[in-house]
């Protein structure tokens, strides 16, 4: 089986022809979805209706799954399956969280351009995000998710800039990204549990060979440089990489499943009506090694 795709953003985002992802897919189907992701690092499936267990089982066909920072915390949780990330504004009782709710404030870091879990020594690869409940429009945004093409952004740099950034590494720290949105009250023990990690600034796709900028709100500075110089370089690269021509904005419909490859993309959530539920579920695959171990 090979899935048909229709481009939504040239060379970056495609919508896949209908496949019922809750059905038992054979290895051929998984191989063809993986090939589509290698060509289009953001791949959209419409009209899916997946339980959390079905989302977990489908995602697990692409690699071992992450248990995210929030699911790893002790205490009661809204979702039963730890491999399913709760990308919602709801509490354990399905009530909309208050504006000053700590978990909500922590999750506001997702509104900054980022790649998931780049603060982990072995970061993640695929994000699979499924829309269950969506909020109505609001004056500041409708809860869309934007994706930026880090391969196109790299290609567009002047050659001398490419040569200068190719060998660099950056320090990624979740406390830096959360600090940018004013969230500093981490549950005790989390600072020790999630120390900063070093990642290559430029990565190379193992299948296509194409290079890509590996940026994230978690990236705080460049290894071995004065903090100010590194931070300002990262600001410049982020501004460059998130120009409109590199960005696809996904307007969610209930039943959408969007798969993205965190290695070649950044993403961010957009504002929405905070008084209404927004409920998405995410499964995430782990990489097998650090970006530092990759061939350049
Ligand atoms: C994520 C994320 C943004 C959004 O699920 O990793 O950053 O729009 N989501 O909810
Ligand atoms: Mn994210």
């Amino acid at each position: 089986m090979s899935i048909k795709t229709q481009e939504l953003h040239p060379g970056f985002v495609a919508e896949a022809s209908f496949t019922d992802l809750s059905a038992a897919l054979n290895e051929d189907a998984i191989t063809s979805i993986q090939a589509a992701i290698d060509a289009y690092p953001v791949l959209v499936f419409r009209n899916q209706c997946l339980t959390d267990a079905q989302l977990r089982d489908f995602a697990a066909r692409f690699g071992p799954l992450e248990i995210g920072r929030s699911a790893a915390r002790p205490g009661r949780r809204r979702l039963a399956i730890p491999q399913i990330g709760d990308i919602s504004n709801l509490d354990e009782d399905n009530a909309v969280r208050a504006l000053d709710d700590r978990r909500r404030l922590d999750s506001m870091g997702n509104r900054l351009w980022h790649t998931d879990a780049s603060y982990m020594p072995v970061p993640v690869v695929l994000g699979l995000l499924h829309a269950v409940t969506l909020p109505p429009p609001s004056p500041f945004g409708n809860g869309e998710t934007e994706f930026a093409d880090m391969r196109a952004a790299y290609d567009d740099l002047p050659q001398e800039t490419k040569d200068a950034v190719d060998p660099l590494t950056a320090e990624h720290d979740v406390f830096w990204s959360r600090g940018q949105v004013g969230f500093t009250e981490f549950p005790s023990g989390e600072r020790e549990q999630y120390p900063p990690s070093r990642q290559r600034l430029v990565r190379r796709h193992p299948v296509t060979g194409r290079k890509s900028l590996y940026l994230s709100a978690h990236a705080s500075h460049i290894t071995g440089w004065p903090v100010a110089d590194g931070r300002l370089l990262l600001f410049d690269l982020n501004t460059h990489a998130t120009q409109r021509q590199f960005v696809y904005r996904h307007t969610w419909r209930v039943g959408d499943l969007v798969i993205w490859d965190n290695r070649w993309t950044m993403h961010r959530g957009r504002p929405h009506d905070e008084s209404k539920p927004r409920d998405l579920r995410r499964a995430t695959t782990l990489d097998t090694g650090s970006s530092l171990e990759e061939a350049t």
Side-chain angles (χ1 to χ4, degrees), residues 220-234:
S220 76
H221 58 283
I222 299 293
T223 317
W225 284 25
V227 168
D229 299 72
R231 199 156 281 173
L232 292 165
L233 173 63
L234 292 169

Side-chain angles (χ1 to χ4, degrees), residues 134-167:
L134 297 170
S138 90
F140 299 111
N142 306 330
E144 300 94 337
T145 305
E146 291 184 328
F147 296 90
D149 185 349
M150 296 293 105
R151 306 156 313 156
Y154 177 84
D155 288 347
D156 194 49
L157 291 171
Q159 188 57 48
E160 57 271 27
T161 310
K162 290 179 180 160
D163 294 341
V165 295
D166 274 359

Side-chain angles (χ1 to χ4, degrees), residues 7 33 70 126 156-157 238:
E7 257 187 7
I33 294 172
S70 158
L126 300 182
D156 194 49
L157 291 171
N238 274 300

Side-chain angles (χ1 to χ4, degrees), residues 3 12-14 16 21 33-34 37 40-45 55 58-59 62 125-130 147 252 256-262 265 283 285:
I3 57 164
F12 180 42
V13 185
L21 302 176
I33 294 172
Q34 182 61 62
I37 297 165
Y40 294 101
V42 181
L43 189 63
V44 177
F45 290 87
L55 176 59
F58 172 63
F62 298 91
V125 179
L126 300 182
L128 299 92
L129 192 57
H130 185 40
F147 296 90
W252 291 98
D256 284 355
L257 176 80
V258 176
I259 306 180
W260 69 92
D261 192 323
N262 278 287
T265 60
T285 69

Side-chain angles (χ1 to χ4, degrees), residues 87 110 114 116 129 144-145 260 267-269 278 282:
I87 311 298
N110 285 341
H114 67 284
D116 290 331
L129 192 57
E144 300 94 337
T145 305
W260 69 92
H267 62 278
R268 66 171 178 176
R278 178 178 188 265
R282 196 188 79 200

Side-chain angles (χ1 to χ4, degrees), residues 15-280:
E15 182 173 325
S17 57
F18 181 76
T19 320
D20 179 1
L21 302 176
S22 72
L25 298 177
N26 62 23
E27 206 43 48
D28 262 13
I30 299 298
T31 305
S32 92
I33 294 172
Q34 182 61 62
I37 297 165
D38 287 338
Y40 294 101
V42 181
L43 189 63
V44 177
F45 290 87
R46 303 279 190 187
N47 302 310
Q48 303 298 316
C49 183
L50 302 172
T51 63
D52 287 355
Q54 287 167 335
L55 176 59
R56 174 198 58 199
D57 294 347
F58 172 63
R61 304 288 298 277
F62 298 91
L65 300 182
E66 177 204 42
I67 296 181
R69 206 161 47 85
S70 158
R73 284 179 197 144
R76 206 153 73 84
R77 205 177 162 246
R78 191 173 72 96
L79 307 180
I81 300 177
Q83 290 85 359
I84 298 297
D86 189 354
I87 311 298
S88 81
N89 56 356
L90 303 174
D91 68 14
E92 298 73 17
D93 301 310
N94 276 307
V96 173
R97 290 183 187 275
L99 290 180
D100 62 353
D101 180 287
R102 276 227 235 155
R103 295 227 177 179
R104 187 186 94 87
L105 296 175
D106 189 347
S107 74
M108 290 296 274
N110 285 341
R111 304 275 175 93
L112 302 171
W113 283 108
H114 67 284
T115 169
D116 290 331
S118 60
Y119 52 84
M120 296 297 281
V122 175
V124 299
V125 179
L126 300 182
L128 299 92
L129 192 57
H130 185 40
V132 174
T133 306
L134 297 170
S138 90
F140 299 111
N142 306 330
E144 300 94 337
T145 305
E146 291 184 328
F147 296 90
D149 185 349
M150 296 293 105
R151 306 156 313 156
Y154 177 84
D155 288 347
D156 194 49
L157 291 171
Q159 188 57 48
E160 57 271 27
T161 310
K162 290 179 180 160
D163 294 341
V165 295
D166 274 359
L168 299 178
T169 65
E171 305 290 325
H172 292 245
D173 186 350
V174 67
F175 300 99
W176 163 243
S177 60
R178 289 321 184 246
Q180 289 177 69
V181 289
F183 181 75
T184 49
E185 290 172 46
F186 293 93
S188 73
E190 275 203 6
R191 256 184 190 283
E192 297 70 30
Q193 199 180 344
Y194 298 99
S197 295
R198 200 146 68 83
Q199 306 291 353
R200 224 184 254 295
L201 190 56
V202 176
R203 302 184 69 170
R204 187 191 277 280
H205 196 292
V207 175
T208 66
R210 202 165 162 196
K211 286 186 178 178
S212 185
L213 281 171
Y214 193 52
L215 298 171
S216 183
H218 307 305
S220 76
H221 58 283
I222 299 293
T223 317
W225 284 25
V227 168
D229 299 72
R231 199 156 281 173
L232 292 165
L233 173 63
L234 292 169
F235 278 142
D236 279 351
L237 291 174
N238 274 300
T239 303
H240 165 76
T242 56
Q243 294 175 82
R244 281 332 295 183
Q245 67 267 32
F246 304 131
V247 172
Y248 163 75
R249 167 176 288 201
H250 187 71
T251 299
W252 291 98
R253 300 182 207 158
V254 169
D256 284 355
L257 176 80
V258 176
I259 306 180
W260 69 92
D261 192 323
N262 278 287
R263 297 170 300 178
W264 331 118
T265 60
M266 279 204 290
H267 62 278
R268 66 171 178 176
R270 300 300 293 152
H272 57 86
D273 182 342
E274 294 289 344
S275 68
K276 298 291 187 315
R278 178 178 188 265
D279 185 356
L280 296 94

